[in-house]
Amino acid sequence: MVRAFMTDASLLDSLNGQQYLVVRPAGSVASFYETEQGALLRVLPDSVTHPNTGHVTLRGFYEPERVDALRDLLARWASEQPAIRLQVEGVDGFPPPFQVLIARLQRTPSLVEAYASLTAVLDATDFCRIGELPLDEWVFHLSLVYASTLSEPDWASAHEDTRRELQPAPAEVSSAVEFVWYENGIEHSEQLLLGGTAAEDAVGH
């Protein structure tokens, strides 16, 4: 059975009506994620929340009435998109007011191209995109822990204790993305295979 990305009731409620295109790591990056997240949860207060499964968000949407049309567009995009190489370069965090501890990803050519080509496809539509930033400003990442319940001093301490660069850097190649949507507090997902020619940085790694 495929593990859900989100299982916390409060997070599921906050995601109602939203849709996401994500990459689900399944190799070395996934193993690092599970180990790192487990270590963080053992030392942080129970008030923090977290994803149930690591994922890299490529885009978010709010289209509760057009889920099928959005899925069809993203499936067509995926069919022409090369494999995506994920490489974790460090553990870091988004500062207040967000206070999210993250596994920061290297801007591999295939990951950057996926984001850029998706933007080009979406710019020709009127789908409502949420949480989007220009490519130059976007930090590719996997969220480890949502720590907005911590006081700013406690957040600063947790961030300082965990942030570091990784060497060697866990890496893997993903040949699929997932379309995820939330309705009435329930997560749904569908895998979309990537069908384009393998990107140069994804070959042989």
Side-chain angles (χ1 to χ4, degrees):
M1 184 176 179
V2 177
R3 290 185 63 184
F5 293 109
M6 298 293 183
T7 55
D8 183 276
S10 64
L11 295 176
L12 288 170
D13 285 345
S14 71
L15 293 167
N16 243 2
Q18 298 178 24
Q19 304 81 36
Y20 291 87
L21 186 70
V22 306
V23 184
R24 180 197 294 265
S28 298
V29 172
S31 296
F32 166 78
Y33 180 91
E34 292 173 6
T35 300
E36 185 70 17
Q37 186 189 63
L40 290 170
L41 293 176
R42 283 193 291 273
V43 298
L44 291 173
D46 292 340
S47 62
V48 302
T49 56
H50 59 89
N52 184 56
T53 303
H55 58 281
V56 182
T57 299
L58 296 178
R59 209 64 47 125
F61 307 89
Y62 186 79
E63 286 291 351
E65 305 302 324
R66 296 196 291 174
V67 172
D68 290 345
L70 178 58
R71 179 181 58 219
D72 291 347
L73 176 75
L74 296 176
R76 290 194 297 273
W77 169 85
S79 71
E80 300 178 353
Q81 177 64 40
I84 298 172
R85 186 166 191 259
L86 305 177
Q87 182 167 329
V88 183
E89 62 182 10
V91 177
D92 209 329
F94 295 134
F98 308 104
Q99 297 187 187
V100 181
L101 293 172
I102 65 169
R104 190 181 68 252
L105 296 177
Q106 184 180 95
R107 295 172 69 88
T108 62
S110 54
L111 185 56
V112 169
E113 170 58 24
Y115 193 94
S117 66
L118 182 58
T119 298
V121 167
L122 292 170
D123 280 349
T125 75
D126 64 350
F127 288 120
C128 177
R129 290 124 75 174
I130 56 177
E132 183 176 280
L133 291 172
L135 176 58
D136 290 347
E137 298 177 27
W138 186 256
V139 177
F140 294 103
H141 69 280
L142 301 95
S143 295
L144 290 159
V145 176
Y146 306 123
S148 61
T149 56
L150 298 183
S151 67
E152 288 200 19
D154 286 346
W155 157 256
S157 177
H159 186 207
E160 184 61 30
D161 289 345
T162 57
R163 67 184 305 184
R164 65 192 189 279
E165 300 302 305
L166 297 178
Q167 194 58 248
E172 64 178 83
V173 175
S174 296
S175 59
V177 293
E178 289 188 42
F179 177 60
V180 187
W181 67 102
Y182 295 89
E183 293 178 335
N184 302 316
I186 299 174
E187 178 182 292
H188 308 268
S189 66
E190 180 178 331
Q191 186 181 74
L192 307 176
L193 295 178
L194 300 174
T197 304
E200 182 178 348
D201 71 308
V203 176
H205 294 278

